[in-house]
Amino acid sequence: MCKSKGMFVQFTVAIDGPAAAGKGTIARALADTFGMAHLDTGLLYRAVGRRALDGVPPVIAASTLRHRDIARTDLRTPDVAQAASEAAAIPEVRAALVAFQRDFARREGGAVLDGRDIGTVICPDAEVKLFVTADANTRANRRWQELSQSGVDITEAEVLASIHERDARDASRDAAPMVAAQDAIQLDTSTLTIDEAVAAAQAHVKARQGNQT
Ligand code: CDP
């Protein structure tokens, strides 16, 4: 969806891919460079998963999600990620989160959304679609470093197993499975530095912006 009415410009960048592939880092950098808003949609599912762990049925948790649930600082743990992935397979949970994500994607000034189904289900008309991947060992190593730095006691092998389990569930579910949109650009970050991955993503956005002026 891209409409230009005076200063009102809608431009959506959809970034999907498996766990810890670098979606968030790339999404934040693009938002920063191009002055767009950024939504980490994984946080919505993590907030639902967190509430599910607290005993709230996932469908209720999703349909009554509040800003303070998403702002919690304890959403980045492996157990919350697993609970998020389980809740994310429930169609009613996903349905409850669609309107918020689509509204966000159409906001003035453009938006970058990262997740699993942004280019396929949430924003099939996004101007730029990236499917960011990296080999599983690289992703596990990156996530293990992040978790270790934030004080989570976990081995790299446990992180790898957890990522494999989540990717398998996310890719095989019936409701909005994790899959690259047909028109998505594949970006494998396995051998790229953060700067190189960001530069590649920026080039795709610039090229698309150039086509529209
Ligand atoms: O950061 P990481 O890539 O490990 O995960 P995340 O993006 O925070 O997503 C956590 C979980 O939420 C995923 O494993 C998916 O099951 C689910 N999710 C989803 O189903 N759809 C999205 N658009 C975003 C996340």
Side-chain angles (χ1 to χ4, degrees):
M1 166 86 47
C2 181
K3 283 186 196 135
S4 186
K5 216 191 282 166
M7 289 298 287
F8 186 73
V9 177
Q10 292 176 328
F11 188 100
T12 307
V13 181
I15 306 182
D16 294 301
K23 304 180 297 290
T25 303
I26 291 171
R28 280 190 297 276
L30 290 182
D32 208 39
T33 308
F34 297 101
M36 298 179 188
H38 169 225
L39 178 64
D40 170 359
T41 65
L43 273 186
L44 305 176
Y45 292 92
R46 284 174 181 261
V48 172
R50 178 65 263 174
R51 291 187 76 194
L53 291 173
D54 293 339
V56 182
V59 178
I60 306 282
S63 53
T64 60
L65 208 60
R66 300 149 300 184
H67 186 263
R68 67 171 182 270
D69 297 317
I70 301 160
R72 284 174 68 148
T73 54
D74 58 355
L75 300 179
R76 300 267 177 211
T77 64
D79 56 334
V80 171
Q82 288 299 341
S85 171
E86 284 166 26
I90 304 170
E92 293 83 1
V93 165
R94 308 199 69 82
L97 302 174
V98 167
F100 175 78
Q101 295 175 81
R102 287 195 178 141
D103 285 350
F104 192 98
R106 289 178 191 131
R107 65 173 47 198
E108 184 174 348
V112 184
L113 286 81
D114 68 282
R116 301 290 185 290
D117 63 339
I118 309 304
T120 49
V121 173
I122 302 297
C123 304
D125 296 331
E127 277 67 25
V128 176
K129 296 183 187 179
L130 302 176
F131 195 80
V132 180
T133 57
D135 66 67
N137 287 320
T138 304
R139 293 188 285 120
N141 179 264
R142 289 176 185 162
R143 181 53 52 88
W144 175 70
Q145 291 194 26
E146 278 172 17
L147 291 169
S148 301
Q149 275 161 23
S150 65
V152 177
D153 183 19
I154 192 164
T155 67
E156 197 172 331
E158 286 167 339
V159 174
L160 180 63
S162 167
I163 279 179
H164 273 313
E165 185 183 341
R166 213 144 51 86
D167 286 347
R169 190 188 295 112
D170 292 347
S172 66
R173 68 187 176 213
D174 291 333
M178 171 179 71
V179 60
Q182 234 186 338
D183 51 350
I185 297 156
Q186 301 264 352
L187 182 57
D188 185 334
T189 68
S190 303
T191 60
L192 301 182
T193 63
I194 290 178
D195 286 351
E196 288 168 340
V198 167
Q202 283 171 335
H204 290 303
V205 174
K206 278 188 193 143
R208 186 62 207 257
Q209 285 182 328
N211 285 344
Q212 293 187 330
T213 52

